[in-house]
Amino acid sequence: MDLDFLLIQKMRMGDDTAIDAFVEKYYPKILQYCRLHIRDYGYAEDLTQETFVKFFRSLSDYRQYGKVANYLYVIAGNVCKDFYKKVQEIPIEENSEGASDHREQINTRIAIETAINSLPTELKETAILFFLQEVKLKEIACILGIGLSLVKYRIKKARELLQAALSEEEKK
Amino acid sequence: MKSIDRKVSQYINDSKESVNRDRVRDTILASKNAFSLHENEQTINYFEFLYQQSQYIQKQWWFFQGGLLIFLWLVLEYSDSSLYVQRCMGLTAPLFGLLILPETWKNRKYASMEIEGAALYTLRQIYSARILLFALVDLLFLSVFWFTAAKTGILSGSSFIVNFFLPFIVTCCIIFRSMCSRLINSEYLTLLICMCWESIWMMIIYNERFYQAVNQVVWIGLLILAILYLLYCIYRSQKYCDKIWEVNSEWN
């Protein structure tokens, strides 16, 4: 029995501290996931909030078959897709954190985000989950509803393309 | 390859630091509001709760109970329906009751009370719903059986009550009393006690002199006593369920 199971049972009983702990635990991962789809930080925060709100609306009907994080990724993915449908073009703010970040950090962030966004859509989704969210191969297959061999192929392909894109970025 | 892994891990570390605390607090608040709003909308009535609980009960046992009654009806229909055959019908009554034993003991056997204790509903609500469901289905089965048997003239009402309903109620008393007992920890022990009861009942119906000596009024009196004791067992299992099944009472 994992800790999330107990956390979910407590949340169902209306335990406020369990809800706090749950959101605190998964907020950074979901924010990062949304941010890699919607590069605007403000929008990504809105979509992260929407993901959690949708999760808690369906909490009483939720049946835990796999990891709860995977379920959150599925919701976040749908929220991002809905957002894409509403807004076709989003203004990109590449450095919305302000001037306090170090130059190297900013460069790395821009390089990674640019490289990820340069990937084809199906590779991008797999790459975000594997490289940046550290989700296991089997779980990615489950989230995306594809076979394990296809996930492995996409990761291999994404790795090659990311490597090429990052090398290109370094040369500049 | 190292370049990717290094940059990705640096990116992940940087992202962790850049979470806006105010937005996290807003998200927590919005999540709590969404949950409480949905819970208020989702309040279910008692019939919906019963239906929900019925989803967790394995229906195969009701199927076997129905099959047993059909078998009994066929025996009565195609035999001479003598009083002796009607009397022997009582031997299947404990078996009819025993068929609900695996379902009533399931939660205790697999120690799932801890999980149910943490569920949205109390143990008392869950068990009362399940007992009510078993009672309703068995009542329906027995009513249909009685009505069909009486309609075809193979079984009288008094014979059904004395020879089938009484041993069935006593079996239910054994099942529920053992289920709410701290001393009896195994459904197999309950099964053994029911078998003993079956043997006693067999001795009663095979002892012609004793059986004939017992007046109809005495049988009815025994039946009333058995029903009252069964109600007491159910009341006890409801009142002391937390203590008997050692679930933290604060959860309920």
Side-chain angles (χ1 to χ4, degrees):
Chain A
M1 194 185 296
D2 62 3
L3 284 173
D4 284 340
F5 177 82
L6 296 172
L7 208 55
I8 286 168
Q9 295 303 327
K10 283 184 177 177
M11 290 195 301
R12 278 187 175 148
M13 292 180 78
D15 187 333
D16 278 354
T17 51
I19 297 176
D20 293 357
F22 182 82
V23 177
E24 293 272 0
K25 184 177 177 182
Y26 288 110
Y27 188 91
K29 287 259 176 192
I30 300 301
L31 175 66
Q32 194 186 51
Y33 179 87
C34 291
R35 206 183 153 196
L36 287 160
H37 284 84
I38 316 293
R39 292 180 66 192
D40 181 90
Y41 196 77
Y43 282 129
E45 283 179 327
D46 291 344
L47 295 186
T48 306
Q49 183 165 324
E50 200 179 326
T51 301
F52 280 99
V53 166
K54 284 197 169 181
F55 173 80
F56 278 95
R57 249 185 237 147
S58 59
L59 180 62
S60 47
D61 305 320
Y62 172 64
R63 301 274 174 270
Q64 197 173 8
Y65 296 117
K67 284 186 177 174
V68 71
N70 297 350
Y71 184 51
L72 283 172
Y73 285 133
V74 172
I75 299 174
N78 290 334
V79 166
C80 289
K81 278 176 203 159
D82 290 346
F83 184 79
Y84 273 131
K85 281 179 198 164
K86 280 182 200 162
V87 187
Q88 291 297 321
E89 208 164 293
I90 307 151
I92 298 166
E93 292 172 27
E94 287 178 333
N95 184 18
S96 55
E97 275 77 42
S100 61
D101 282 356
H102 297 104
R103 182 170 291 276
E104 198 193 339
Q105 281 183 354
I106 296 167
N107 287 339
T108 309
R109 180 164 297 168
I110 291 171
I112 292 277
E113 288 179 2
T114 310
I116 288 278
N117 280 296
S118 69
L119 295 173
T121 318
E122 69 277 9
L123 295 186
K124 182 181 166 185
E125 185 69 29
T126 316
I128 288 171
L129 289 168
F130 183 75
F131 293 112
L132 304 171
Q133 303 292 300
E134 295 165 314
V135 179
K136 287 177 185 164
L137 296 175
K138 276 185 184 173
E139 289 166 11
I140 295 174
C142 214
I143 293 168
L144 301 179
I146 55 176
L148 189 61
S149 52
L150 185 56
V151 175
K152 284 178 184 169
Y153 167 77
R154 283 185 183 177
I155 286 166
K156 188 174 170 252
K157 196 76 187 160
R159 190 182 278 275
E160 286 168 11
L161 292 174
L162 282 175
Q163 184 72 49
L166 288 172
S167 306
E168 195 76 19
E169 200 71 27
E170 272 175 5
K171 282 177 195 167
K172 282 181 187 174
Chain B
M1 288 293 163
K2 274 188 180 175
S3 172
I4 290 188
D5 295 335
R6 187 176 53 79
K7 284 189 173 176
V8 163
S9 80
Q10 192 184 336
Y11 177 86
I12 290 169
N13 287 335
D14 294 346
S15 308
K16 278 176 190 166
E17 289 162 12
S18 62
V19 169
N20 184 343
R21 297 302 310 161
D22 289 339
R23 288 308 303 261
V24 178
R25 274 191 289 276
D26 288 348
T27 305
I28 290 172
L29 196 67
S31 301
K32 285 175 184 171
N33 288 339
F35 179 66
S36 58
L37 203 68
H38 182 73
E39 285 300 293
N40 290 338
E41 287 169 1
Q42 285 292 104
T43 313
I44 58 172
N45 63 37
Y46 198 74
F47 291 106
E48 285 169 331
F49 176 64
L50 271 183
Y51 175 73
Q52 192 188 56
Q53 286 301 313
S54 72
Q55 304 288 302
Y56 303 119
I57 295 174
Q58 287 189 349
K59 316 295 180 300
Q60 69 199 45
W61 304 110
W62 284 332
F63 176 77
F64 291 142
Q65 279 189 322
L68 183 73
L69 289 181
I70 291 170
F71 168 76
L72 205 57
W73 181 80
L74 287 173
V75 169
L76 288 167
E77 178 71 21
Y78 293 104
S79 68
D80 56 355
S81 296
S82 64
L83 283 175
Y84 191 70
V85 174
Q86 290 185 18
R87 219 188 288 172
C88 289
M89 175 179 72
L91 292 176
T92 57
L95 182 61
F96 183 80
L98 277 172
L99 284 171
I100 61 164
L101 185 69
E103 271 304 304
T104 49
W105 267 80
K106 186 173 68 180
N107 301 51
R108 196 173 168 185
K109 187 180 176 184
Y110 297 111
S112 62
M113 278 76 70
E114 283 84 352
I115 295 168
E116 290 186 341
L120 195 62
Y121 304 102
T122 63
L123 263 181
R124 191 169 293 116
Q125 285 172 315
I126 291 169
Y127 275 85
S128 59
R130 289 185 192 177
I131 290 169
L132 187 64
L133 281 169
F134 285 126
L136 285 175
V137 173
D138 282 357
L139 190 69
L140 178 75
F141 279 165
L142 292 177
S143 303
V144 171
F145 175 74
W146 186 7
F147 182 77
T148 315
K151 195 84 176 165
T152 48
I154 55 173
L155 187 67
S156 68
S158 60
S159 179
F160 175 75
I161 287 173
V162 172
N163 294 316
F164 190 89
F165 202 60
L166 176 62
F168 169 65
I169 291 291
V170 174
T171 310
C172 289
C173 287
I174 296 168
I175 291 172
F176 284 107
R177 184 66 188 89
S178 60
M179 202 174 74
C180 64
S181 163
R182 290 177 75 96
L183 297 172
I184 300 170
N185 286 318
S186 163
E187 63 178 319
Y188 299 110
L189 189 56
T190 312
L191 187 69
L192 190 72
I193 299 169
C194 288
M195 288 299 161
C196 292
W197 157 242
E198 170 115 33
S199 309
I200 294 167
W201 184 250
M202 205 188 298
M203 280 193 286
I204 293 170
I205 58 174
Y206 279 104
N207 190 331
E208 190 63 34
R209 209 169 52 155
F210 179 79
Y211 189 84
Q212 292 298 340
V214 180
N215 193 294
Q216 191 80 355
V217 181
V218 178
W219 288 125
I220 299 296
L222 284 172
L223 179 69
I224 291 168
L225 278 177
I227 290 172
L228 288 175
Y229 188 69
L230 178 63
L231 291 175
Y232 164 74
C233 290
I234 292 171
Y235 167 76
R236 194 184 137 82
S237 71
Q238 292 290 295
K239 193 176 181 189
Y240 300 111
C241 63
D242 298 337
K243 284 183 186 171
I244 296 161
W245 295 324
E246 293 177 344
V247 172
N248 189 341
S249 57
E250 285 174 15
W251 290 353
N252 293 298

